[in-house]
């Protein structure tokens, strides 16, 4: 079984990492762009984001993709990240709330239901048991037909990207904090099929690092 980092270690790591998270755009942005395209955000009214980091995705969705009346709730367990996201998203006023989370996955107190549940490069940190909890609680937080929109690290699809993802997984096994606690996943295979319908699953490679995009709908 793969060892994942504890919530306290994740909080400590991301409190220190802070704004450096935005430097990961060199491999994240291509995947996030595709997730935005497939997630149909121009029709969304209420978005919940788990692990918003510095609020980069929220800012992008609110300024360029969501209807003017759409609301956004973003959470993170790192107080540094929440501070950065609040500064960045202040200009959206009441449309956006950034909340400090204790790292738990009960989303019922965040003012749902939502029609999009978004998370990018966060599930990569979590144990399989926690990912299952996220699926169950996201299902409860979404309206019928609501979409789960994910981008995250995955296994490679070509010789080069397979080498990168294998090396990444190896480093994660040796010392997870060297890679921010993240490891490659095959997330689409983990959705319980009786509760979710996977509408899209794609892998994109940027700077030799493979990312998986999954859009799944509640059944
Ligand atoms: C790799 S960063 C990704 C940040 C952002 N989503 C992005 O794509 O740039 C992971 C983020 O998830 C947050 N995080 C980790 N575990 C979490 C949990 N259990 N609940 C909420 N946020 C969590 C971390 O604090 C960090 O900001």
């Amino acid at each position: 079984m793969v060892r994942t980092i504890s919530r306290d270690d994740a909080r400590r790591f991301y409190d220190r990492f802070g704004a450096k998270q935005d430097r990961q755009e060199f491999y994240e942005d291509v995947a996030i762009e595709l997730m935005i395209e497939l997630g149909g955000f121009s029709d969304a009214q209420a978005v919940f984001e788990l692990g918003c980091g510095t609020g980069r995705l929220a800012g992008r969705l609110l300024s360029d993709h969501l209807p003017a009346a759409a609301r956004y709730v973003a959470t993170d367990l790192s107080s540094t990240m929440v501070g950065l996201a609040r500064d960045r998203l202040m200009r959206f006023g009441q449309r956006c709330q950034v909340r400090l989370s204790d790292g738990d996955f009960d989303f019922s107190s965040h003012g749902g239901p939502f029609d999009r549940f978004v998370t990018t490069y966060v599930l990569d940190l979590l144990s399989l048991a926690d990912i299952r909890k996220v699926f169950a609680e996201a299902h409860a937080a979404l309206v019928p037909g609501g979409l789960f929109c994910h981008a995250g690290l995955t296994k490679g699809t070509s010789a080069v990207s397979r080498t990168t993802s294998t090396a990444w997984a190896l480093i994660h096994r040796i010392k997870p904090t060297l890679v921010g606690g993240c490891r490659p996943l095959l997330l689409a295979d983990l959705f319980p099929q009786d509760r979710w319908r996977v509408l899209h699953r794609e892998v994109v490679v940027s700077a030799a690092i493979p990312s998986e995009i999954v859009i799944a709908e509640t059944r």
Side-chain angles (χ1 to χ4, degrees):
M1 210 193 352
V2 176
R3 195 166 43 99
T4 49
I5 62 173
S6 69
R7 249 170 232 177
D8 283 346
D9 283 347
R11 186 181 293 110
R12 263 192 293 276
F13 180 91
Y14 286 98
D15 275 347
R16 273 199 317 269
F17 202 54
K20 289 203 272 295
Q21 178 59 37
D22 287 350
R23 294 193 203 149
Q24 312 305 306
E25 65 184 8
F26 73 96
Y27 68 86
E28 289 189 356
D29 272 9
V30 174
I32 288 176
E33 190 61 46
L34 184 58
M35 186 204 76
I36 291 174
E37 197 182 310
L38 297 172
F41 288 92
S42 59
D43 295 332
Q45 293 305 321
V47 180
F48 179 88
E49 183 177 359
L50 171 67
C52 64
T54 65
R56 214 158 56 88
L57 172 63
R60 199 141 154 233
L61 288 173
L62 283 158
S63 69
D64 300 340
H65 298 278
L66 288 166
R71 61 194 178 84
Y72 203 107
V73 177
T75 65
D76 203 285
L77 97 171
S78 149
S79 53
T80 304
M81 291 302 193
V82 165
L84 291 166
R86 282 188 180 145
D87 287 349
R88 173 175 262 155
L89 301 170
M90 204 182 334
R91 67 193 167 109
F92 298 105
Q94 296 298 314
R95 292 179 71 199
C96 182
Q97 283 180 44
V98 184
R99 298 181 163 198
L100 182 63
S101 132
D102 60 5
D104 207 347
F105 306 112
D106 176 356
F107 309 122
S108 60
S109 62
H110 293 299
F114 300 94
D115 50 22
R116 299 292 182 282
F117 182 97
V118 181
T119 189
T120 62
Y121 300 91
V122 178
L123 302 189
D124 320 355
L125 273 101
L126 305 183
S127 66
L128 289 182
D130 278 351
I131 292 173
R132 288 193 192 102
K133 278 187 212 154
V134 171
F135 286 152
E137 297 298 330
H139 196 283
L142 282 167
V143 297
L147 299 183
F148 189 113
C149 304
H150 160 87
L153 294 172
T154 194
K155 300 196 175 164
T157 48
S158 61
V160 173
S161 60
R162 267 197 298 273
T163 306
T164 322
S165 62
T166 304
W168 192 304
L170 191 64
I171 296 169
H172 180 271
R173 264 177 195 272
I174 296 166
K175 193 163 188 223
T177 47
L178 286 179
V179 284
C182 301
R183 87 290 196 191
L185 288 176
L186 293 172
L187 194 85
D189 298 345
L190 300 178
F191 280 86
Q193 289 182 12
D194 57 332
R195 312 217 73 200
W196 298 94
R197 189 189 344 264
V198 173
L199 301 178
H200 303 282
R201 192 255 171 185
E202 295 199 31
V203 176
V204 295
V205 178
S206 183
I209 300 173
S211 294
E212 179 184 27
I213 296 96
V214 183
I215 309 292
E217 184 183 39
T218 58
R219 285 187 193 268

